[in-house]
Amino acid sequence: VEGVEENTEIHLSKPLLVKEENEAAEEGFIRVNFDPTLVRLLREVKYLQLLELKVPERASALYAKVDTYRTQTGNLELTVNMYNDVLATLLPVEKPLLADRIQSMLDALAPGLDALKWNADNINPFISKAMKIVTEVDELVKKMKENVKKMHEIMEKWNKPLYERKNKALPAEDVEQTHQALVGPRLEDIRNNGKEIHRLMKDTQDNIKPDKKSPQWLSYQDYINGLIIDGITLGINGSMQYLRDQLSIQY
């Protein structure tokens, strides 16, 4: 303890956060910069107090703020984890839509990367503001991702064959009648599914509030249209595969 506590002010004069290069995001990831040496010091002081041993005055004064440091580092960890996750999970077609939000996160976190040190007095207001802004962006990204996930779940239902073969042979007229009876409800289901996909797309639009004529939003629409085309194609392939299997002659 005595050897470490002499350098306490040096450790506390480091910035709250540091940026690290990462291939997953050109902006780089951010991590909390609470010195591991201070963590060890605080832990040792705790044990010394439990053993009722004498603790150096400087170390004791530092330990008096242990709950504050624990809360601050915990909240910062939550914040930077959300920030890093946003950057890591956004697709190239999604990221341009949130460029202004990403910049707002960077601006909110900037004081923690340079101006604010662990011995500053205005850390908590900074953490509250940064966490609020980053949380809002994180929730928006999750909303976008969840809407696309729901679209995929809807389109997975289209893979069910449009033709069902009975266990016994039927006259051609009966087969046609049965097929038509099946196609009608399925077509209605797909129409309703399309309306739900449109509603999900509208929900994303309402949350992001993009310029509807911007290249970024038009590109995102093309991306969703591509997903829908893939879903329709898989549905057609599923029915054709089923029909081929039924028409295969077994020797």
Side-chain angles (χ1 to χ4, degrees):
V1 173
E2 292 182 359
V4 175
E5 60 103 22
E6 292 177 359
N7 297 317
T8 297
E9 286 305 317
I10 297 177
H11 299 310
L12 290 175
S13 63
K14 293 182 178 181
L16 305 183
L17 307 170
V18 291
K19 185 175 289 189
E20 298 177 329
E21 292 186 7
N22 191 290
E23 294 181 358
E26 60 181 342
E27 295 85 358
F29 282 178
I30 292 175
R31 67 172 173 83
V32 179
N33 192 36
F34 194 74
D35 198 307
T37 303
L38 290 178
V39 176
R40 292 195 297 271
L41 173 61
L42 292 170
R43 187 182 298 118
E44 290 177 14
V45 172
K46 174 183 177 181
Y47 294 147
L48 289 175
Q49 289 186 346
L50 289 173
L51 294 171
E52 298 183 353
L53 297 175
K54 183 179 180 180
V55 178
E57 183 177 344
R58 189 178 300 175
S60 181
L62 180 70
Y63 188 76
K65 296 183 63 178
V66 65
D67 290 335
T68 298
Y69 291 135
R70 184 181 296 114
T71 300
Q72 290 174 343
T73 55
N75 288 335
L76 283 173
E77 288 285 357
L78 288 173
T79 302
V80 300
N81 285 343
M82 285 189 291
Y83 170 83
N84 293 338
D85 190 57
V86 165
L87 294 182
T89 58
L90 279 176
L91 299 175
V93 73
E94 297 170 327
K95 196 171 182 179
L97 284 171
L98 301 175
D100 57 337
R101 270 88 166 191
I102 293 173
Q103 188 58 52
S104 70
M105 290 194 299
L106 285 169
D107 292 342
L109 292 168
L113 291 166
D114 44 52
L116 283 177
K117 319 299 182 187
W118 287 104
N119 52 11
D121 295 326
N122 54 340
I123 294 177
N124 288 338
F126 157 74
I127 294 177
S128 297
K129 180 181 177 180
M131 178 177 281
K132 180 177 183 296
I133 291 174
V134 174
T135 298
E136 289 174 354
V137 179
D138 179 65
E139 290 176 350
L140 181 56
V141 171
K142 287 178 178 176
K143 167 63 72 172
M144 290 177 63
K145 299 288 188 181
E146 182 63 24
N147 284 345
V148 172
K149 179 182 177 182
K150 289 178 180 178
M151 292 179 192
H152 279 296
E153 291 172 349
I154 289 172
M155 291 184 287
E156 285 176 0
K157 301 174 185 177
W158 300 350
N159 202 24
K160 181 180 178 181
L162 282 170
Y163 174 81
E164 290 183 1
R165 184 179 181 184
K166 302 300 181 181
N167 292 328
K168 62 179 181 178
L170 295 173
E173 296 80 5
D174 290 350
V175 172
E176 177 66 18
Q177 184 178 2
T178 301
H179 179 60
Q180 291 299 327
L182 178 64
V183 168
R186 284 293 305 283
L187 184 59
E188 184 63 24
D189 285 343
I190 291 174
R191 285 199 184 101
N192 291 332
N193 292 158
K195 293 177 182 178
E196 178 62 15
I197 290 174
H198 180 76
R199 186 196 68 77
L200 292 169
M201 188 65 171
K202 181 68 164 53
D203 183 59
T204 296
Q205 177 183 302
D206 291 343
N207 280 275
I208 297 177
K209 297 178 176 60
D211 177 354
K212 297 177 185 178
K213 297 181 180 180
S214 68
Q216 295 84 357
W217 180 246
L218 294 176
S219 295
Y220 187 73
Q221 285 182 315
D222 287 341
Y223 162 68
I224 297 298
N225 286 337
L227 296 181
I228 295 172
I229 291 172
D230 288 343
I232 293 172
T233 302
L234 287 174
I236 294 173
N237 287 342
S239 290
M240 297 302 293
Q241 179 71 43
Y242 178 83
L243 182 59
R244 190 195 70 174
D245 293 343
Q246 297 304 312
L247 293 176
S248 297
I249 299 176
Q250 303 294 325
Y251 293 98

mmCIF file of all heavy atoms in Angstrom, residues 41-67:
data_model
loop_
_atom_site.group_PDB
_atom_site.id
_atom_site.type_symbol
_atom_site.label_atom_id
_atom_site.label_comp_id
_atom_site.label_asym_id
_atom_site.label_seq_id
_atom_site.Cartn_x
_atom_site.Cartn_y
_atom_site.Cartn_z
ATOM 1 N N LEU A 41 -5.045 -1.114 -4.942
ATOM 2 C CA LEU A 41 -4.868 -0.331 -3.719
ATOM 3 C C LEU A 41 -6.151 -0.326 -2.892
ATOM 4 O O LEU A 41 -6.122 -0.554 -1.676
ATOM 5 C CB LEU A 41 -4.459 1.096 -4.065
ATOM 6 C CG LEU A 41 -4.383 2.092 -2.891
ATOM 7 C CD1 LEU A 41 -3.344 1.643 -1.880
ATOM 8 C CD2 LEU A 41 -4.085 3.496 -3.391
ATOM 9 N N LEU A 42 -7.262 -0.073 -3.541
ATOM 10 C CA LEU A 42 -8.548 -0.029 -2.831
ATOM 11 C C LEU A 42 -8.873 -1.385 -2.212
ATOM 12 O O LEU A 42 -9.403 -1.464 -1.097
ATOM 13 C CB LEU A 42 -9.657 0.401 -3.796
ATOM 14 C CG LEU A 42 -9.585 1.850 -4.301
ATOM 15 C CD1 LEU A 42 -10.579 2.081 -5.423
ATOM 16 C CD2 LEU A 42 -9.835 2.822 -3.155
ATOM 17 N N ARG A 43 -8.543 -2.453 -2.925
ATOM 18 C CA ARG A 43 -8.798 -3.788 -2.404
ATOM 19 C C ARG A 43 -7.932 -4.072 -1.183
ATOM 20 O O ARG A 43 -8.408 -4.641 -0.176
ATOM 21 C CB ARG A 43 -8.529 -4.828 -3.496
ATOM 22 C CG ARG A 43 -8.932 -6.254 -3.093
ATOM 23 C CD ARG A 43 -8.600 -7.263 -4.186
ATOM 24 N NE ARG A 43 -9.338 -6.966 -5.407
ATOM 25 C CZ ARG A 43 -8.766 -6.649 -6.562
ATOM 26 N NH1 ARG A 43 -7.447 -6.586 -6.658
ATOM 27 N NH2 ARG A 43 -9.492 -6.415 -7.623
ATOM 28 N N GLU A 44 -6.671 -3.670 -1.241
ATOM 29 C CA GLU A 44 -5.769 -3.899 -0.116
ATOM 30 C C GLU A 44 -6.187 -3.095 1.109
ATOM 31 O O GLU A 44 -6.111 -3.585 2.238
ATOM 32 C CB GLU A 44 -4.338 -3.548 -0.519
ATOM 33 C CG GLU A 44 -3.745 -4.531 -1.527
ATOM 34 C CD GLU A 44 -2.350 -4.135 -1.962
ATOM 35 O OE1 GLU A 44 -1.759 -3.262 -1.296
ATOM 36 O OE2 GLU A 44 -1.860 -4.682 -2.964
ATOM 37 N N VAL A 45 -6.624 -1.866 0.886
ATOM 38 C CA VAL A 45 -7.081 -1.050 2.006
ATOM 39 C C VAL A 45 -8.291 -1.693 2.677
ATOM 40 O O VAL A 45 -8.411 -1.713 3.911
ATOM 41 C CB VAL A 45 -7.426 0.379 1.536
ATOM 42 C CG1 VAL A 45 -8.096 1.175 2.660
ATOM 43 C CG2 VAL A 45 -6.174 1.106 1.071
ATOM 44 N N LYS A 46 -9.168 -2.242 1.861
ATOM 45 C CA LYS A 46 -10.346 -2.922 2.412
ATOM 46 C C LYS A 46 -9.926 -4.060 3.338
ATOM 47 O O LYS A 46 -10.452 -4.201 4.458
ATOM 48 C CB LYS A 46 -11.206 -3.456 1.271
ATOM 49 C CG LYS A 46 -12.382 -4.294 1.736
ATOM 50 C CD LYS A 46 -13.152 -4.855 0.549
ATOM 51 C CE LYS A 46 -14.297 -5.751 1.031
ATOM 52 N NZ LYS A 46 -15.041 -6.322 -0.125
ATOM 53 N N TYR A 47 -8.967 -4.871 2.900
ATOM 54 C CA TYR A 47 -8.517 -5.998 3.709
ATOM 55 C C TYR A 47 -7.813 -5.518 4.979
ATOM 56 O O TYR A 47 -7.988 -6.115 6.062
ATOM 57 C CB TYR A 47 -7.578 -6.882 2.897
ATOM 58 C CG TYR A 47 -8.261 -7.574 1.739
ATOM 59 C CD1 TYR A 47 -7.574 -7.839 0.554
ATOM 60 C CD2 TYR A 47 -9.589 -7.962 1.823
ATOM 61 C CE1 TYR A 47 -8.193 -8.472 -0.516
ATOM 62 C CE2 TYR A 47 -10.222 -8.585 0.762
ATOM 63 C CZ TYR A 47 -9.528 -8.837 -0.406
ATOM 64 O OH TYR A 47 -10.150 -9.461 -1.450
ATOM 65 N N LEU A 48 -7.023 -4.456 4.849
ATOM 66 C CA LEU A 48 -6.332 -3.919 6.026
ATOM 67 C C LEU A 48 -7.337 -3.425 7.065
ATOM 68 O O LEU A 48 -7.155 -3.642 8.268
ATOM 69 C CB LEU A 48 -5.400 -2.776 5.618
ATOM 70 C CG LEU A 48 -4.137 -3.177 4.832
ATOM 71 C CD1 LEU A 48 -3.376 -1.937 4.382
ATOM 72 C CD2 LEU A 48 -3.230 -4.074 5.691
ATOM 73 N N GLN A 49 -8.396 -2.789 6.608
ATOM 74 C CA GLN A 49 -9.422 -2.297 7.532
ATOM 75 C C GLN A 49 -10.165 -3.457 8.190
ATOM 76 O O GLN A 49 -10.489 -3.394 9.381
ATOM 77 C CB GLN A 49 -10.396 -1.383 6.796
ATOM 78 C CG GLN A 49 -9.796 -0.036 6.412
ATOM 79 C CD GLN A 49 -10.821 0.909 5.806
ATOM 80 O OE1 GLN A 49 -11.919 0.493 5.433
ATOM 81 N NE2 GLN A 49 -10.470 2.186 5.697
ATOM 82 N N LEU A 50 -10.412 -4.508 7.412
ATOM 83 C CA LEU A 50 -11.074 -5.683 7.983
ATOM 84 C C LEU A 50 -10.213 -6.331 9.067
ATOM 85 O O LEU A 50 -10.727 -6.879 10.052
ATOM 86 C CB LEU A 50 -11.380 -6.699 6.882
ATOM 87 C CG LEU A 50 -12.496 -6.312 5.895
ATOM 88 C CD1 LEU A 50 -12.585 -7.334 4.764
ATOM 89 C CD2 LEU A 50 -13.834 -6.219 6.618
ATOM 90 N N LEU A 51 -8.899 -6.246 8.867
ATOM 91 C CA LEU A 51 -7.968 -6.809 9.855
ATOM 92 C C LEU A 51 -7.630 -5.823 10.967
ATOM 93 O O LEU A 51 -6.840 -6.130 11.854
ATOM 94 C CB LEU A 51 -6.680 -7.236 9.143
ATOM 95 C CG LEU A 51 -6.809 -8.384 8.143
ATOM 96 C CD1 LEU A 51 -5.516 -8.567 7.356
ATOM 97 C CD2 LEU A 51 -7.186 -9.675 8.866
ATOM 98 N N GLU A 52 -8.248 -4.621 10.871
ATOM 99 C CA GLU A 52 -8.038 -3.553 11.848
ATOM 100 C C GLU A 52 -6.571 -3.157 11.947
ATOM 101 O O GLU A 52 -6.040 -2.893 13.035
ATOM 102 C CB GLU A 52 -8.585 -3.977 13.218
ATOM 103 C CG GLU A 52 -10.090 -4.235 13.201
ATOM 104 C CD GLU A 52 -10.616 -4.585 14.584
ATOM 105 O OE1 GLU A 52 -9.793 -4.762 15.509
ATOM 106 O OE2 GLU A 52 -11.852 -4.674 14.741
ATOM 107 N N LEU A 53 -5.916 -3.109 10.778
ATOM 108 C CA LEU A 53 -4.525 -2.676 10.713
ATOM 109 C C LEU A 53 -4.453 -1.223 10.288
ATOM 110 O O LEU A 53 -5.385 -0.692 9.681
ATOM 111 C CB LEU A 53 -3.751 -3.559 9.726
ATOM 112 C CG LEU A 53 -3.659 -5.044 10.093
ATOM 113 C CD1 LEU A 53 -2.971 -5.824 8.966
ATOM 114 C CD2 LEU A 53 -2.896 -5.229 11.413
ATOM 115 N N LYS A 54 -3.340 -0.578 10.564
ATOM 116 C CA LYS A 54 -3.184 0.828 10.234
ATOM 117 C C LYS A 54 -3.086 1.024 8.723
ATOM 118 O O LYS A 54 -2.393 0.292 8.032
ATOM 119 C CB LYS A 54 -1.925 1.385 10.916
ATOM 120 C CG LYS A 54 -1.726 2.884 10.678
ATOM 121 C CD LYS A 54 -0.488 3.380 11.395
ATOM 122 C CE LYS A 54 -0.293 4.871 11.142
ATOM 123 N NZ LYS A 54 0.927 5.395 11.835
ATOM 124 N N VAL A 55 -3.798 2.019 8.232
ATOM 125 C CA VAL A 55 -3.803 2.339 6.806
ATOM 126 C C VAL A 55 -3.213 3.731 6.625
ATOM 127 O O VAL A 55 -3.598 4.665 7.335
ATOM 128 C CB VAL A 55 -5.239 2.308 6.230
ATOM 129 C CG1 VAL A 55 -5.233 2.691 4.750
ATOM 130 C CG2 VAL A 55 -5.849 0.929 6.420
ATOM 131 N N PRO A 56 -2.278 3.910 5.696
ATOM 132 C CA PRO A 56 -1.718 5.251 5.442
ATOM 133 C C PRO A 56 -2.824 6.254 5.157
ATOM 134 O O PRO A 56 -3.858 5.915 4.565
ATOM 135 C CB PRO A 56 -0.833 5.021 4.209
ATOM 136 C CG PRO A 56 -0.449 3.581 4.285
ATOM 137 C CD PRO A 56 -1.647 2.877 4.857
ATOM 138 N N GLU A 57 -2.597 7.492 5.589
ATOM 139 C CA GLU A 57 -3.627 8.522 5.497
ATOM 140 C C GLU A 57 -4.098 8.750 4.062
ATOM 141 O O GLU A 57 -5.295 8.865 3.808
ATOM 142 C CB GLU A 57 -3.091 9.829 6.079
ATOM 143 C CG GLU A 57 -4.125 10.950 6.093
ATOM 144 C CD GLU A 57 -3.585 12.209 6.741
ATOM 145 O OE1 GLU A 57 -2.550 12.131 7.430
ATOM 146 O OE2 GLU A 57 -4.198 13.277 6.548
ATOM 147 N N ARG A 58 -3.174 8.814 3.114
ATOM 148 C CA ARG A 58 -3.545 9.079 1.729
ATOM 149 C C ARG A 58 -4.384 7.931 1.157
ATOM 150 O O ARG A 58 -5.362 8.155 0.464
ATOM 151 C CB ARG A 58 -2.291 9.294 0.885
ATOM 152 C CG ARG A 58 -2.583 9.799 -0.524
ATOM 153 C CD ARG A 58 -1.295 10.041 -1.295
ATOM 154 N NE ARG A 58 -0.454 11.025 -0.629
ATOM 155 C CZ ARG A 58 0.770 11.348 -1.037
ATOM 156 N NH1 ARG A 58 1.297 10.750 -2.083
ATOM 157 N NH2 ARG A 58 1.462 12.262 -0.383
ATOM 158 N N ALA A 59 -4.007 6.711 1.495
ATOM 159 C CA ALA A 59 -4.762 5.549 1.026
ATOM 160 C C ALA A 59 -6.137 5.513 1.665
ATOM 161 O O ALA A 59 -7.136 5.153 1.020
ATOM 162 C CB ALA A 59 -3.996 4.269 1.329
ATOM 163 N N SER A 60 -6.210 5.888 2.935
ATOM 164 C CA SER A 60 -7.488 5.904 3.634
ATOM 165 C C SER A 60 -8.435 6.940 3.021
ATOM 166 O O SER A 60 -9.636 6.700 2.863
ATOM 167 C CB SER A 60 -7.270 6.206 5.115
ATOM 168 O OG SER A 60 -8.504 6.196 5.817
ATOM 169 N N ALA A 61 -7.874 8.118 2.670
ATOM 170 C CA ALA A 61 -8.679 9.169 2.052
ATOM 171 C C ALA A 61 -9.207 8.711 0.688
ATOM 172 O O ALA A 61 -10.342 9.007 0.313
ATOM 173 C CB ALA A 61 -7.851 10.443 1.905
ATOM 174 N N LEU A 62 -8.375 7.980 -0.042
ATOM 175 C CA LEU A 62 -8.806 7.454 -1.342
ATOM 176 C C LEU A 62 -9.929 6.435 -1.161
ATOM 177 O O LEU A 62 -10.928 6.458 -1.886
ATOM 178 C CB LEU A 62 -7.626 6.808 -2.061
ATOM 179 C CG LEU A 62 -7.926 6.202 -3.430
ATOM 180 C CD1 LEU A 62 -8.215 7.304 -4.444
ATOM 181 C CD2 LEU A 62 -6.753 5.347 -3.906
ATOM 182 N N TYR A 63 -9.786 5.576 -0.157
ATOM 183 C CA TYR A 63 -10.783 4.522 0.059
ATOM 184 C C TYR A 63 -12.123 5.108 0.490
ATOM 185 O O TYR A 63 -13.167 4.488 0.284
ATOM 186 C CB TYR A 63 -10.283 3.535 1.110
ATOM 187 C CG TYR A 63 -11.167 2.324 1.238
ATOM 188 C CD1 TYR A 63 -11.134 1.312 0.294
ATOM 189 C CD2 TYR A 63 -12.057 2.214 2.313
ATOM 190 C CE1 TYR A 63 -11.950 0.207 0.402
ATOM 191 C CE2 TYR A 63 -12.873 1.106 2.432
ATOM 192 C CZ TYR A 63 -12.822 0.110 1.475
ATOM 193 O OH TYR A 63 -13.646 -0.982 1.582
ATOM 194 N N ALA A 64 -12.111 6.301 1.058
ATOM 195 C CA ALA A 64 -13.359 6.938 1.467
ATOM 196 C C ALA A 64 -14.273 7.188 0.268
ATOM 197 O O ALA A 64 -15.488 7.338 0.422
ATOM 198 C CB ALA A 64 -13.064 8.251 2.189
ATOM 199 N N LYS A 65 -13.688 7.223 -0.934
ATOM 200 C CA LYS A 65 -14.474 7.453 -2.146
ATOM 201 C C LYS A 65 -14.692 6.166 -2.933
ATOM 202 O O LYS A 65 -15.050 6.217 -4.109
ATOM 203 C CB LYS A 65 -13.761 8.474 -3.040
ATOM 204 C CG LYS A 65 -13.625 9.853 -2.420
ATOM 205 C CD LYS A 65 -12.972 10.822 -3.382
ATOM 206 C CE LYS A 65 -13.830 11.030 -4.620
ATOM 207 N NZ LYS A 65 -13.231 12.016 -5.561
ATOM 208 N N VAL A 66 -14.484 5.005 -2.303
ATOM 209 C CA VAL A 66 -14.558 3.746 -3.030
ATOM 210 C C VAL A 66 -15.931 3.532 -3.675
ATOM 211 O O VAL A 66 -16.040 3.060 -4.815
ATOM 212 C CB VAL A 66 -14.195 2.552 -2.113
ATOM 213 C CG1 VAL A 66 -15.212 2.394 -0.987
ATOM 214 C CG2 VAL A 66 -14.085 1.277 -2.933
ATOM 215 N N ASP A 67 -17.007 3.893 -2.953
ATOM 216 C CA ASP A 67 -18.346 3.717 -3.506
ATOM 217 C C ASP A 67 -18.577 4.639 -4.700
ATOM 218 O O ASP A 67 -19.243 4.262 -5.680
ATOM 219 C CB ASP A 67 -19.412 3.966 -2.436
ATOM 220 C CG ASP A 67 -19.433 2.870 -1.380
ATOM 221 O OD1 ASP A 67 -19.008 1.747 -1.699
ATOM 222 O OD2 ASP A 67 -19.865 3.144 -0.248
#
